[in-house]
Amino acid sequence: MLGGSVYVAFLRFLLCMAGTICIFLQLDESRFSKKKLVFIYGVFCVVAISFSCLWYLTDWESCIRMITFVVFGAFALVSLFISNKRIYLTFYNLAFTFYLTAVFIVGGIETARVFFHSNIWADVAARIILILAMIYWIRKCMKKMLKGFDSYLETEMDALSVMILIISLFSGIGIILIQHYVENNGHRLVQLAVNFFLTGSLQVVVFRLYLHMGKESEYQKENQLMKMNQRLLGRQLELLEESVETGRRIRHDIRHHNQVIGEYARRGQQKELLEYLRQYEHKMESGVIPVICDNTAVNNILSAYTRWARMEDINVTMDVEVDKNFAVADMDMVTILSNAYENAIYGCIEARRQMAERECFIHLLVKKKGGKLVIYCSNTCKMELDFRKGQPRPEFTGGIGVSSIIKTADQYDGETDFRNDDGIFVFRLIMNIPKETEVRA
């Protein structure tokens, strides 16, 4: 600290709190409205700055050494209450915020000491410039990457890594601030610069590491989705080929059928004629894709997988109500239903490998209730299944992860649930159906 009156100290405290809050809000998301957020942070600033000024007047020396840790510790508690993110993501954002706070506090004071003969107003001006530069840099250069980084950090990072990272960052920041207040000597600026560099480098390395891991995971999911689409297309082509072949055979045999019908009519054999017509109708319908629902995309995907399931001797029951012009995008419905159905088939296959005499079934329900879409799928599965973070492990799902289902449902503010009820795997999903004007392309 450069000293000065309590009014100068008040201005510095105000700058520190305002700068820290603005930086933190660029990185984090609030659970409250803007009006309530301003009120909470406003009350906190009044209390924190009043307490800081009183401490400054009472004991200047202890204030300049400890006030940063006390006030920002309280700020961390308030921010944890306000944040809408998971606690470890909030801790990381706080660590990054405090690092930038240390940069503009130490940067302002050292700029005034080195270049302006410890001028108090040079310190204030330097802090304002640094705060504005940081906010501009975050908004223009880092906002989108940080948002993606938070998502990757949440999915890829384990609890131990989070704890080590946060402890390392806070330790580095603490060392910087403590080192800043020691007696001036020839090595202090070098030590500060090295500590800033090491702490900043740690954050850059972590940022790039988890950004890379997250993108790699996204590539794997996209690759899985492409493979799933390839298999789906193959099954739809099989259905189409069978329909074409059946139609060609029927057209070839139509002359013979007409001759048989004419012969029955001439002989007056009405019962035999009706039975023949019934068999003929059944044969005609066998080559047509069954109508499960009015939506073409959903009907095709369910027909393709139902055919596969019955080839595996799996009993399938469905209760599906999806309109032709459904408000959820066709691609999103295909992603959810194909993943759920294919995983159910894999579950039945694995259950039969474990116990050959088990009767395997799949029950699928798709309903619209009010403004919600409800999907329920239950199927036979192994008695013991491994779950990770509430999701079945990839080896159970045949390599197709449920992450695609969850990611698609999240686009519609949906919720998913997976569980194993003594050898019966249950998947449940409920999500909002957008209005017609909000339908995703």
Short mmCIF file of all heavy atoms in Angstrom, two decimals, residues 42-69:
data_model
loop_
_atom_site.label_atom_id
_atom_site.label_comp_id
_atom_site.label_asym_id
_atom_site.label_seq_id
_atom_site.Cartn_x
_atom_site.Cartn_y
_atom_site.Cartn_z
N GLY A 42 -24.51 -4.82 -3.77
CA GLY A 42 -24.48 -3.46 -3.23
C GLY A 42 -24.41 -3.45 -1.72
O GLY A 42 -23.60 -2.71 -1.12
N VAL A 43 -25.24 -4.28 -1.10
CA VAL A 43 -25.20 -4.39 0.37
C VAL A 43 -23.84 -4.90 0.83
O VAL A 43 -23.26 -4.40 1.80
CB VAL A 43 -26.34 -5.31 0.87
CG1 VAL A 43 -26.18 -5.61 2.36
CG2 VAL A 43 -27.70 -4.69 0.59
N PHE A 44 -23.33 -5.92 0.13
CA PHE A 44 -22.02 -6.45 0.52
C PHE A 44 -20.93 -5.40 0.41
O PHE A 44 -20.07 -5.29 1.29
CB PHE A 44 -21.67 -7.65 -0.37
CG PHE A 44 -20.27 -8.14 -0.18
CD1 PHE A 44 -19.93 -8.88 0.94
CD2 PHE A 44 -19.28 -7.86 -1.12
CE1 PHE A 44 -18.62 -9.33 1.14
CE2 PHE A 44 -17.98 -8.31 -0.94
CZ PHE A 44 -17.65 -9.04 0.19
N CYS A 45 -20.94 -4.61 -0.67
CA CYS A 45 -19.92 -3.57 -0.85
C CYS A 45 -19.99 -2.53 0.27
O CYS A 45 -18.95 -2.10 0.79
CB CYS A 45 -20.09 -2.89 -2.20
SG CYS A 45 -19.53 -3.90 -3.59
N VAL A 46 -21.20 -2.10 0.64
CA VAL A 46 -21.35 -1.11 1.71
C VAL A 46 -20.78 -1.65 3.01
O VAL A 46 -20.00 -0.96 3.71
CB VAL A 46 -22.83 -0.73 1.87
CG1 VAL A 46 -23.02 0.11 3.14
CG2 VAL A 46 -23.33 0.04 0.66
N VAL A 47 -21.12 -2.90 3.35
CA VAL A 47 -20.63 -3.49 4.60
C VAL A 47 -19.12 -3.69 4.54
O VAL A 47 -18.40 -3.35 5.49
CB VAL A 47 -21.36 -4.83 4.86
CG1 VAL A 47 -20.75 -5.53 6.08
CG2 VAL A 47 -22.85 -4.60 5.07
N ALA A 48 -18.62 -4.26 3.43
CA ALA A 48 -17.20 -4.58 3.33
C ALA A 48 -16.34 -3.32 3.33
O ALA A 48 -15.30 -3.26 4.01
CB ALA A 48 -16.94 -5.39 2.06
N ILE A 49 -16.76 -2.29 2.59
CA ILE A 49 -15.96 -1.06 2.51
C ILE A 49 -16.01 -0.30 3.83
O ILE A 49 -14.98 0.25 4.28
CB ILE A 49 -16.46 -0.18 1.35
CG1 ILE A 49 -16.17 -0.89 0.01
CG2 ILE A 49 -15.78 1.18 1.36
CD1 ILE A 49 -16.76 -0.21 -1.19
N SER A 50 -17.16 -0.28 4.48
CA SER A 50 -17.26 0.38 5.80
C SER A 50 -16.35 -0.31 6.81
O SER A 50 -15.61 0.35 7.56
CB SER A 50 -18.70 0.36 6.29
OG SER A 50 -19.56 1.04 5.40
N PHE A 51 -16.37 -1.63 6.81
CA PHE A 51 -15.51 -2.38 7.72
C PHE A 51 -14.04 -2.14 7.41
O PHE A 51 -13.21 -1.94 8.32
CB PHE A 51 -15.84 -3.87 7.58
CG PHE A 51 -14.87 -4.78 8.29
CD1 PHE A 51 -14.92 -4.93 9.67
CD2 PHE A 51 -13.89 -5.47 7.58
CE1 PHE A 51 -14.01 -5.77 10.32
CE2 PHE A 51 -13.00 -6.31 8.21
CZ PHE A 51 -13.06 -6.46 9.59
N SER A 52 -13.69 -2.10 6.12
CA SER A 52 -12.30 -1.88 5.71
C SER A 52 -11.81 -0.50 6.14
O SER A 52 -10.67 -0.35 6.63
CB SER A 52 -12.17 -2.05 4.20
OG SER A 52 -12.58 -3.34 3.78
N CYS A 53 -12.65 0.53 5.97
CA CYS A 53 -12.25 1.89 6.35
C CYS A 53 -12.07 2.02 7.86
O CYS A 53 -11.12 2.68 8.33
CB CYS A 53 -13.28 2.90 5.85
SG CYS A 53 -13.30 3.09 4.04
N LEU A 54 -12.95 1.40 8.62
CA LEU A 54 -12.80 1.44 10.08
C LEU A 54 -11.52 0.73 10.52
O LEU A 54 -10.80 1.20 11.41
CB LEU A 54 -14.02 0.77 10.74
CG LEU A 54 -15.33 1.56 10.68
CD1 LEU A 54 -16.48 0.72 11.23
CD2 LEU A 54 -15.19 2.86 11.48
N TRP A 55 -11.24 -0.41 9.88
CA TRP A 55 -10.01 -1.13 10.19
C TRP A 55 -8.80 -0.29 9.80
O TRP A 55 -7.80 -0.23 10.52
CB TRP A 55 -10.01 -2.46 9.44
CG TRP A 55 -8.92 -3.43 9.88
CD1 TRP A 55 -7.92 -3.20 10.77
CD2 TRP A 55 -8.75 -4.77 9.42
NE1 TRP A 55 -7.12 -4.30 10.90
CE2 TRP A 55 -7.61 -5.29 10.08
CE3 TRP A 55 -9.44 -5.58 8.52
CZ2 TRP A 55 -7.16 -6.58 9.86
CZ3 TRP A 55 -8.98 -6.87 8.31
CH2 TRP A 55 -7.85 -7.36 8.97
N TYR A 56 -8.88 0.39 8.67
CA TYR A 56 -7.79 1.24 8.20
C TYR A 56 -7.50 2.36 9.20
O TYR A 56 -6.33 2.69 9.48
CB TYR A 56 -8.17 1.82 6.84
CG TYR A 56 -7.07 2.61 6.16
CD1 TYR A 56 -6.09 1.98 5.40
CD2 TYR A 56 -7.03 4.00 6.28
CE1 TYR A 56 -5.10 2.70 4.77
CE2 TYR A 56 -6.02 4.73 5.65
CZ TYR A 56 -5.06 4.07 4.89
OH TYR A 56 -4.07 4.80 4.28
N LEU A 57 -8.55 2.95 9.76
CA LEU A 57 -8.37 4.02 10.74
C LEU A 57 -7.84 3.49 12.07
O LEU A 57 -7.04 4.14 12.74
CB LEU A 57 -9.71 4.74 10.98
CG LEU A 57 -10.19 5.66 9.85
CD1 LEU A 57 -11.62 6.14 10.14
CD2 LEU A 57 -9.25 6.86 9.70
N THR A 58 -8.28 2.29 12.43
CA THR A 58 -7.91 1.73 13.73
C THR A 58 -6.49 1.19 13.74
O THR A 58 -5.71 1.46 14.68
CB THR A 58 -8.90 0.61 14.12
OG1 THR A 58 -10.22 1.12 14.07
CG2 THR A 58 -8.60 0.09 15.52
N ASP A 59 -6.15 0.39 12.75
CA ASP A 59 -4.83 -0.25 12.73
C ASP A 59 -4.37 -0.35 11.28
O ASP A 59 -4.60 -1.34 10.59
CB ASP A 59 -4.91 -1.64 13.37
CG ASP A 59 -3.53 -2.27 13.57
OD1 ASP A 59 -2.54 -1.72 13.07
OD2 ASP A 59 -3.45 -3.33 14.22
N TRP A 60 -3.70 0.67 10.80
CA TRP A 60 -3.31 0.77 9.40
C TRP A 60 -2.39 -0.37 8.99
O TRP A 60 -2.56 -0.97 7.93
CB TRP A 60 -2.60 2.12 9.18
CG TRP A 60 -2.07 2.30 7.79
CD1 TRP A 60 -2.75 2.75 6.71
CD2 TRP A 60 -0.74 2.01 7.33
NE1 TRP A 60 -1.95 2.79 5.59
CE2 TRP A 60 -0.69 2.32 5.95
CE3 TRP A 60 0.42 1.53 7.95
CZ2 TRP A 60 0.45 2.18 5.19
CZ3 TRP A 60 1.56 1.37 7.17
CH2 TRP A 60 1.58 1.69 5.81
N GLU A 61 -1.43 -0.71 9.83
CA GLU A 61 -0.42 -1.71 9.45
C GLU A 61 -1.04 -3.10 9.26
O GLU A 61 -0.78 -3.79 8.27
CB GLU A 61 0.67 -1.76 10.51
CG GLU A 61 1.82 -2.70 10.13
CD GLU A 61 2.95 -2.67 11.14
OE1 GLU A 61 2.91 -1.81 12.05
OE2 GLU A 61 3.87 -3.50 11.01
N SER A 62 -1.87 -3.55 10.21
CA SER A 62 -2.49 -4.88 10.07
C SER A 62 -3.53 -4.88 8.95
O SER A 62 -3.75 -5.90 8.28
CB SER A 62 -3.15 -5.31 11.39
OG SER A 62 -4.21 -4.44 11.72
N CYS A 63 -4.15 -3.72 8.72
CA CYS A 63 -5.18 -3.62 7.67
C CYS A 63 -4.57 -3.89 6.30
O CYS A 63 -5.11 -4.69 5.52
CB CYS A 63 -5.83 -2.24 7.71
SG CYS A 63 -7.06 -1.98 6.41
N ILE A 64 -3.46 -3.24 5.99
CA ILE A 64 -2.89 -3.40 4.65
C ILE A 64 -2.33 -4.81 4.42
O ILE A 64 -2.17 -5.24 3.28
CB ILE A 64 -1.78 -2.35 4.39
CG1 ILE A 64 -0.61 -2.56 5.35
CG2 ILE A 64 -2.34 -0.96 4.48
CD1 ILE A 64 0.58 -1.68 5.03
N ARG A 65 -2.05 -5.53 5.51
CA ARG A 65 -1.52 -6.89 5.35
C ARG A 65 -2.63 -7.94 5.25
O ARG A 65 -2.45 -8.96 4.59
CB ARG A 65 -0.60 -7.23 6.53
CG ARG A 65 0.69 -6.41 6.55
CD ARG A 65 1.58 -6.82 7.71
NE ARG A 65 2.80 -6.05 7.74
CZ ARG A 65 3.90 -6.32 7.03
NH1 ARG A 65 3.90 -7.38 6.23
NH2 ARG A 65 4.96 -5.57 7.11
N MET A 66 -3.76 -7.70 5.93
CA MET A 66 -4.76 -8.76 6.05
C MET A 66 -6.10 -8.45 5.39
O MET A 66 -6.90 -9.36 5.18
CB MET A 66 -5.00 -9.07 7.54
CG MET A 66 -3.79 -9.59 8.27
SD MET A 66 -3.16 -11.13 7.53
CE MET A 66 -4.56 -12.20 7.76
N ILE A 67 -6.34 -7.19 5.06
CA ILE A 67 -7.67 -6.83 4.58
C ILE A 67 -8.05 -7.57 3.30
O ILE A 67 -9.21 -7.96 3.09
CB ILE A 67 -7.77 -5.30 4.37
CG1 ILE A 67 -9.24 -4.89 4.16
CG2 ILE A 67 -6.91 -4.84 3.21
CD1 ILE A 67 -10.13 -5.15 5.31
N THR A 68 -7.07 -7.79 2.42
CA THR A 68 -7.36 -8.47 1.15
C THR A 68 -7.89 -9.88 1.40
O THR A 68 -8.89 -10.29 0.79
CB THR A 68 -6.09 -8.55 0.29
OG1 THR A 68 -5.59 -7.23 0.07
CG2 THR A 68 -6.38 -9.21 -1.05
N PHE A 69 -7.25 -10.62 2.31
CA PHE A 69 -7.67 -11.99 2.58
C PHE A 69 -9.03 -12.04 3.27
O PHE A 69 -9.87 -12.90 2.95
CB PHE A 69 -6.61 -12.70 3.43
CG PHE A 69 -5.26 -12.75 2.78
CD1 PHE A 69 -4.28 -11.83 3.14
CD2 PHE A 69 -4.97 -13.69 1.83
CE1 PHE A 69 -3.03 -11.87 2.56
CE2 PHE A 69 -3.73 -13.74 1.22
CZ PHE A 69 -2.75 -12.83 1.59
#
